[in-house]
Amino acid sequence: MKLCTKLNIVKMLNSFDHEHEFIEQSRIRLQQLSTDNISNVILRYSDTVFSMTLHDPQLYIAWLFFIFMKIIMSIFQLSSSDFPLLCVGIFGSMVSFLLVFYSNECYQRYKSQYDLQTKAIHCILELSSHASAKISKPAATQLCRYINVMHILGYTGYNNSYTIKNFYLPLVSKYNLLTDIELSEQLKVLNIENNEYEDIILNNNNAINQIVTWIMLRILHISRDANEQYMGDRDKGNMEKSLLKFRGILNELHSYRILSIPFAYINLVAILICIYCPAFASAVAFSSNISISYIYGFIIVFLNSIFMNGLFI
């Protein structure tokens, strides 16, 4: 059987999403910058909390509140005792408390997903090592092809950048991982027929289960093949165990996409920030002397916005 070269996927390779390329280039730039010296890290503007804060309308609303409160103070001769500074401080403590929990949860999810990715690669190496050491080269090559397709399917549909069009099919075609018949069977399971490729996969569990079935049947056939004399029952059990562990890791990884942080909680934190930033700007206006320059208040409000945005993004 010829590998998948007949299907008309050259068009898709040429139309590889520019968004995906931009994300990958940004990731590489930030990764290189993270190992740079402190001065270059601080002086960088794009893709930092400074640029995000300056593009956030909330900062300018807070500045307007600061100016407005300063004008009110000067007109009516008000002092800091006329403004509930303590209430703003208590409210700010509550918002900061929620933000810290929100930020910690986001980083914990990131670390957990990274650990799962590392475990998945570990399973792939374990399966490939068993196949290379115990099985003939043609059979081992077929198993490694299936394992790599399974790995690609595990990330396909994980977000809007990893779709069939710009992730699954280009990689399968580039490395000749499936034959024409195998690829057509996969596309049927993915509900894509007649080369009408969709950009988003709602659920690819069936496609992964299909690959798992192919690998299990192939391992069973190899274990019963008299020519595969180095493949024993123990090796068969170890490979099946690693395969099912790999399947469980991919399933757990996709659960992070399905069970994301509830939007109601994110919305609550965003609303509290929108309320707190103007209140903080008003508190700064009342707590500072009228003769103090407006630049001082602008800087304090800006630093507070950086803190809030830095924990929220």
Side-chain angles (χ1 to χ4, degrees), residues 110-178:
Y110 172 80
K111 182 181 182 302
S112 299
Q113 292 175 77
Y114 179 81
D115 291 341
L116 288 174
Q117 178 189 0
T118 305
K119 291 179 182 178
I121 296 175
H122 211 48
C123 290
I124 293 173
L125 293 176
E126 188 174 348
L127 286 166
S128 301
S129 299
H130 269 95
S132 300
K134 301 293 183 179
I135 305 174
S136 60
K137 186 175 180 180
T141 301
Q142 185 182 30
L143 285 180
C144 289
R145 287 196 294 109
Y146 290 163
I147 293 168
N148 282 286
V149 173
M150 185 177 170
H151 193 205
I152 294 171
L153 280 171
Y155 297 112
T156 303
Y158 193 74
N159 59 35
N160 294 333
S161 299
Y162 298 151
T163 63
I164 289 182
K165 177 181 176 181
N166 64 7
F167 186 74
Y168 172 78
L169 286 172
L171 288 177
V172 170
S173 173
K174 181 179 180 180
Y175 297 104
N176 294 329
L177 297 179
L178 293 176

Side-chain angles (χ1 to χ4, degrees), residues 78-98:
L78 300 177
S79 63
S80 59
S81 60
D82 298 317
F83 190 84
L85 298 177
L86 181 60
C87 294
V88 175
I90 295 174
F91 182 61
S93 301
M94 181 182 67
V95 175
S96 301
F97 186 74
L98 289 175

